[in-house]
Amino acid sequence: MQNFEFHNTKSLVVERGGAARLGDRMAQMGHKNILFVTDPGLMSAGLADAALQNLAANNLKVTVFSKVEADPPESVILEAKQLAVELQADCVIGFGGGSSMDVAKLVALLACSGEELSKIYGVNMAKGPCLPLVMVPTTSGTGSEVTPISIVTTGVGEKKGVVSSLLLPQLALLDAELTLGLPKHVTAATGIDAMVHAIEAYTSKRLKNPISDCLAREALRLLSASIHKACHEGHDLQARENMLLGACLAGMAFANSPVAAVHALAYPVGARFHVPHGLSNALVLPHVIRFNCGDAEALYAELADIVLPGVSGSPAAKVQSFVDYLAGLGKAFGLPTTLSEVGIQASDLQQLAEDAMKQTRLLINNPRDVTLADALRLYEAAL
């Protein structure tokens, strides 16, 4: 068997209604002074109320930081970090989507270690230590509750990642009831994002391993079997739970077998045009798979067997069916399916391609090498 390492969140709890008992768990863990990181939309919607009430009922000191925004910039992270330092917080809770959880991770690290954010971008640059982390996802997409990765928008057109096992939480709580109110377009985009995580983890050129493979396959099975029901029958709690667990398993997979060119091309789309991350992935996904086929056809064919049970034909035919299925998801849920539909013009593509080539951390994982000319052609195909 190949040599490999596998890292994961220490404890995972799947519990319907579990957010309303979050304070009980925090008290049992011995935390007393907590920074609660979330976004203004969740606060105004009351989604955090039950968790905050239970934290208060356990006589825990909780300070809410609710200024997280999509594609969080460095300024938001540094403001939250300063608050954690002033409070002398002994734990950070990330409650929300990937942005809130990513901010919480870096706040826990920076507030405890004293490191400078600008100096820890990349893989294993952070030295630590890190405050204990608890993650409560409210969308079924990023899997950030089980990944050692935090993504930051560092300027116009650029995102950077901090990758370190220090960022792995002590506890991830999956409460599907928190996802019941997600609109169809959010459910679809975040669900496709999770599917991309599973697909790229399974086909990654670096660090692919038997455990990540198992997780990626099961994640894709859960997600593909449930995404239509979750989108069209949003009250179906079992479908919502399948999506949440599928996103989590995909997160475990790509935390150890990293994502590649789909994400590398999606990041500039999100950073420059403020397109939600899941939708950015969906817009370039079919084109990247076609590009990679010569190097990963057998692996894509294996995934086709999961999402299209009974699909027949040669590996090439299966992959074509797989691409058609993935390309049709956005249209089925009313999402934009081309870059032009989100305001991107042909004159923007060269800059996007140049931005994508800066994502070397991701591109080295792709089954096929990507040049600047390749990136430009991929964007042209997606336009």
Side-chain angles (χ1 to χ4, degrees), residues 211-272:
I211 297 177
S212 67
D213 283 353
C214 289
L215 292 166
R217 286 193 296 264
E218 178 61 8
L220 199 57
R221 186 191 70 80
L222 286 167
L223 293 163
S224 61
S226 303
I227 189 168
H228 286 276
K229 179 163 280 191
C231 286
H232 297 299
E233 300 176 36
H235 62 279
D236 190 301
L237 190 56
Q238 186 60 60
R240 291 291 192 180
E241 196 163 70
N242 288 347
M243 294 297 293
L244 194 58
L245 182 57
C248 181
L249 297 181
M252 291 180 188
F254 90 84
N256 293 276
S257 177
V259 293
V262 175
H263 277 72
L265 270 69
Y267 280 167
V269 173
R272 285 195 176 272

Side-chain angles (χ1 to χ4, degrees), residues 355-372:
D355 290 345
M357 295 310 296
K358 297 176 184 177
Q359 299 295 330
T360 54
R361 175 180 66 86
L362 304 174
L363 291 173
I364 60 173
N365 307 315
N366 202 59
R368 178 180 173 185
D369 290 342
V370 180
T371 67
L372 177 62

Side-chain angles (χ1 to χ4, degrees), residues 24-31 91 132-134 170-171:
D24 302 342
R25 293 189 179 277
M26 299 301 294
Q28 291 169 5
M29 294 168 71
H31 301 304
C91 180
L133 276 160
V134 172
Q170 278 62 51
L171 170 66

Side-chain angles (χ1 to χ4, degrees), residues 300-363:
Y300 287 135
E302 290 170 11
L303 296 179
D305 288 331
I306 293 171
V307 301
L308 300 167
V311 64
S312 59
S314 66
K318 289 184 177 183
V319 174
Q320 184 59 54
S321 297
F322 185 51
V323 172
D324 291 343
Y325 163 81
L326 293 170
L329 282 178
K331 185 175 181 180
F333 301 128
L335 298 177
T337 58
T338 64
L339 295 177
S340 59
E341 290 179 69
V342 296
I344 296 174
Q345 302 176 13
S347 57
D348 300 316
L349 300 187
Q350 181 66 35
Q351 183 63 64
L352 287 176
E354 292 174 5
D355 290 345
M357 295 310 296
K358 297 176 184 177
Q359 299 295 330
T360 54
R361 175 180 66 86
L362 304 174
L363 291 173

